[in-house]
Amino acid sequence: MMELALSVLEGVAVLLLAPFFAGFIHKLKQRIRGQKGISIFQYYRNFHKLFKKETVLSKDATIISHIAPFMYLVPNLLLVFTLPLFYAKPLITSSNPMLLAYLLSLSIFFMTLYALDQGCSFGGLGSSREWFISSLSEPAFLLLLFSVCLYFKEWNISVAFLRLGEEVKSLTVGHGHFSISILFLLIISLFVLTLAENARIPFDNPETHLELTMIHEANILEASGTHLLLFEYASQLKLTIFMSFIVLLTMPYMAQTALYFIPAFLFYLLKMLILSSLIAFVESANAKMRLFRLPNLLSVAFVLSLVSLVLSMEV
């Protein structure tokens, strides 16, 4: 019963923190630009306002527009309860790379379906661009997960990350044999994919609504009220999940018992804030790239994932 309670508490903590991490990145970017910036808790206030607003749909919308915002959120919720983020026993213990990749694809599918169902020209523009990027990034993400699983000969992704944590911990005392080169390739590839899958600079600019440049925002341009709340929150949750993948690869530490649950959570929070700062600095130092130059950057992530997969097969 205690393990079940801690597993649920882990997931709930991440669900509550997702808007905070997004707000922290946005605040830090504004401070770097010399602006006073919003509060790091502004997204919580926005959600409270959106919850009270009316949801307006296009006259051409069908029932798909009613269910798509929820179906965009549900896969991300499942991912949160699948990964051992800072507790070694997640609520959903059985998972594999294909399941994680398909859950991400499912969420994008319903978001683009919502955009097309509105009958808006921007919806078609945004959905085509979203799948253009997703079709290039998801193969690299799948190879990345396969690399971790293949190295440890374990196709349960949760167990593979647990074993990775044990190996990295052993490295600190000089007894580990995990390949640093593989780990480095995976982290670089995953960082690029995090920016791509979450519509961050240089792939997209989440702070603009310019018609010629927006990708993610074009898909939810017609959303309002509760629907916009669900889309925005799910996007922040997805960013938190990808960031959690990075910290799991970089500095994995999961509590095995209830005694270490609080220290593991605080360490997880510290790692996420450091990574959030890095993302903010990278976005501030770069400009948005042209759409047809994005495959060049995504091909780098794919090659790094492929090389790590080959190296994992030889171990």
Side-chain angles (χ1 to χ4, degrees), residues 19 40 47 58 69 84-85 145 172 207 209 211 240 276-277 281 289 314:
I40 57 177
F47 291 158
S58 168
L85 302 176
L145 296 178
T172 60
E207 300 177 28
H209 283 81
E211 293 86 349
T240 302
S276 298
S277 303
F281 280 111
M289 296 175 62
E314 295 179 352

Side-chain angles (χ1 to χ4, degrees), residues 54-306:
E54 178 186 3
T55 300
V56 180
L57 289 174
S58 168
K59 61 181 179 59
D60 300 316
T62 65
I63 192 173
I64 292 175
S65 295
H66 292 277
I67 65 174
F70 296 93
M71 292 304 299
Y72 181 62
L73 175 62
V74 168
N76 294 293
L77 290 176
L78 294 176
L79 286 172
V80 169
F81 290 98
T82 300
L83 299 173
L85 302 176
F86 55 88
Y87 182 58
K89 300 171 184 177
L91 188 63
I92 304 175
T93 56
S94 179
S95 60
N96 58 70
M98 295 299 294
L99 174 63
L100 269 61
Y102 278 126
L103 284 175
L104 290 173
S105 298
L106 184 65
S107 65
I108 296 175
F109 171 76
F110 276 101
M111 181 181 67
T112 54
L113 203 61
Y114 179 91
L116 295 172
D117 192 56
Q118 300 297 309
C120 173
S121 59
F122 289 125
L125 179 146
S127 59
S128 63
R129 290 179 175 181
E130 188 75 39
W131 279 113
F132 171 69
I133 294 177
S134 181
S135 63
L136 297 173
S137 62
E138 288 185 5
F141 181 67
L142 195 57
L143 289 179
L144 187 147
L145 296 178
F146 278 146
S147 300
V148 177
C149 293
L150 189 62
Y151 186 91
F152 293 107
K153 308 297 187 295
E154 177 58 63
W155 295 105
N156 187 328
I157 194 68
S158 299
V159 178
F161 275 120
L162 289 174
R163 295 187 60 183
L164 173 62
E166 295 173 357
E167 287 293 331
V168 173
K169 184 178 179 180
S170 299
L171 284 174
T172 60
V173 294
H175 299 298
H177 56 81
F178 185 74
S179 175
I180 299 296
S181 59
I182 295 178
L183 191 62
F184 178 76
L185 293 176
L186 292 177
I187 292 172
I188 298 299
S189 175
L190 186 54
F191 187 80
V192 174
L193 295 178
T194 299
L195 299 178
E197 285 284 342
N198 293 278
R200 314 299 301 190
I201 294 175
F203 295 91
D204 193 11
N205 188 352
E207 300 177 28
T208 184
H209 283 81
L210 294 176
E211 293 86 349
L212 297 178
T213 63
M214 60 183 177
I215 300 177
H216 173 76
E217 293 296 326
N219 290 285
I220 61 174
L221 197 62
E222 296 293 317
S224 60
T226 306
H227 287 179
L228 183 58
L229 186 156
L230 293 172
F231 278 121
E232 291 289 351
Y233 177 70
S235 299
Q236 294 167 6
L237 191 58
K238 183 179 178 181
L239 174 62
T240 302
I241 291 169
F242 271 87
M243 290 170 58
S244 298
F245 272 119
I246 296 178
V247 299
L248 280 175
L249 286 175
T250 309
M251 294 177 288
Y253 175 72
M254 285 78 77
Q256 300 288 338
T257 62
L259 180 63
Y260 298 100
F261 186 83
I262 298 298
F265 168 71
L266 295 177
F267 186 49
Y268 169 79
L269 184 60
L270 176 62
K271 292 185 294 184
M272 292 291 283
L273 291 178
I274 294 174
L275 181 58
S276 298
S277 303
L278 177 61
I279 292 176
F281 280 111
V282 169
E283 290 195 73
S284 299
N286 292 277
K288 185 183 180 301
M289 296 175 62
R290 294 179 59 188
L291 182 66
F292 293 105
R293 291 183 60 192
L294 298 181
N296 298 333
L297 189 55
L298 288 171
S299 63
V300 173
F302 179 82
V303 170
L304 293 178
S305 297
L306 183 61

